[in-house]
Amino acid sequence: MDHSYQLSRPSIETIIDYCNDLLADEKLTVFEFGENCDLVLHIYKDEEFNPALDKDYSNIVTIHTAQDGKWIDDTEDVYVTDGSLYRELERINTYTDMGTL
């Protein structure tokens, strides 16, 4: 079953909480992100994640960032709970080192 969640102008902490609660293959779309509220984040949970086996194993997400309908940044395999996701969201929020693969 494909589950998708949406948030508008959430705090970074709220995004991290949602990402931690996502199950394998679930998606979170964040609207109006960034200092100018003009970014859309498409966040996907790793398809291997199984919270019943290990809370930290594969607790990673991939983030694709769009601005004005164009992809401007890709972030692969970011751990949710070790501070990596917070740092990536801060980087995206401040438009630092943007780039797609």
Side-chain angles (χ1 to χ4, degrees):
M1 181 180 282
D2 182 30
H3 285 98
S4 181
Y5 303 93
Q6 298 181 350
L7 296 173
S8 186
R9 292 192 186 200
S11 68
I12 288 177
E13 290 78 12
T14 299
I15 295 171
I16 292 170
D17 287 344
Y18 267 79
C19 288
N20 198 41
D21 291 339
L22 290 176
L23 299 177
D25 280 335
E26 288 188 329
K27 176 184 174 183
L28 173 65
T29 305
V30 178
F31 296 97
E32 299 179 356
F33 190 73
E35 291 178 343
N36 298 322
C37 298
D38 61 347
L39 302 177
V40 178
L41 307 181
H42 298 269
I43 304 174
Y44 303 87
K45 187 70 153 224
D46 186 276
E47 68 272 1
E48 300 294 320
F49 182 65
N50 183 345
L53 293 178
D54 186 336
K55 184 127 180 86
D56 295 319
Y57 175 75
S58 292
N59 191 3
I60 56 178
V61 294
T62 297
I63 306 169
H64 300 295
T65 306
Q67 181 182 44
D68 298 325
K70 295 180 181 162
W71 298 112
I72 61 166
D73 191 69
D74 290 321
T75 305
E76 303 284 333
D77 297 340
V78 180
Y79 278 93
V80 174
T81 55
D82 72 350
S84 297
L85 180 56
Y86 185 89
R87 288 188 296 277
E88 284 301 313
L89 291 171
E90 277 286 317
R91 178 187 66 80
I92 295 167
N93 187 58
T94 58
Y95 306 88
T96 305
D97 298 327
M98 296 296 224
T100 56
L101 300 174

